[in-house]
Amino acid sequence: MLDDANMKTPADTPGRGTPDRVPEGVAGWSWGGFVFSWIWAIPNRTWWGLLGLVPGIGLVVRVMLGLKGRQAAWRNGRWDSVAHFRRVQRRWSMAAGVAVALVAIAVAATVTLSAHDKRAPRSGEHAGEQLEL
C-alpha cells in the first residue's frame, strides 16, 4: 500500500495535468528567464523563449519568460521532482543575480572613471591655463 507521500497527482508530474495547474513551488517569477531569455529557454525546453532573439520583441519576451517561464519549463517535463525543478531554477536565479551585479559594477566603474577623467587636468594644463614651450 502506498502512503500519501509517495502518491503523485497529475499536476506533480512534469508535462502532465491541466495547463493551468502546477504544483506549489513551481509558479513564480523566473529571474533566469528574464535575465538570460533565450539562453535559459533552450535547456528549459521553452522554445517560445527563442523569440527573445527577434529585435523589437525581445523585452516583451523577457517579461513573459519572467512571468510564465517557470510554469512553461515545468510543463515541458524533464524534471525528476518539484525539488529538482526548484534547485535548477534557483541556480538560474543565482546566476542571473551574479550577472546583474557584474553589469552594475561595470557600469558604476565606467561612470566613476569617466567622471574622474573629466575632472582631472590634462597633462600640461594648470587651472585652465596651458603651458607654452
Side-chain angles (χ1 to χ4, degrees):
M1 184 169 134
L2 293 173
D3 59 19
D4 289 338
N6 291 330
M7 295 182 65
K8 290 185 176 182
T9 65
D12 294 333
T13 307
R16 294 169 181 75
T18 61
D20 296 332
R21 185 165 175 249
V22 292
E24 190 173 322
V26 169
W29 182 263
S30 173
W31 282 109
F34 178 73
V35 172
F36 295 116
S37 76
W38 64 271
I39 297 168
W40 174 91
I42 293 170
N44 285 283
R45 299 179 184 178
T46 305
W47 305 119
W48 56 268
L50 295 175
L51 292 172
L53 293 169
V54 178
I57 64 168
L59 181 60
V60 173
V61 171
R62 285 178 183 268
V63 171
M64 291 304 299
L65 284 171
L67 290 170
K68 297 293 182 183
R70 288 176 58 105
Q71 295 92 314
W74 173 260
R75 287 189 196 102
N76 292 326
R78 60 183 276 279
W79 313 104
D80 297 333
S81 65
V82 174
H84 174 234
F85 175 82
R86 291 183 68 185
R87 251 189 334 270
V88 170
Q89 296 307 314
R90 179 161 168 71
R91 288 181 186 143
W92 277 105
S93 292
M94 289 189 300
V98 168
V100 168
L102 290 174
V103 169
I105 290 168
V107 168
T110 301
V111 168
T112 302
L113 292 174
S114 176
H116 183 290
D117 188 43
K118 289 179 183 176
R119 287 184 279 148
R122 291 191 180 119
S123 176
E125 293 181 10
H126 297 285
E129 299 177 12
Q130 282 191 321
L131 296 175
E132 294 182 26
L133 297 176

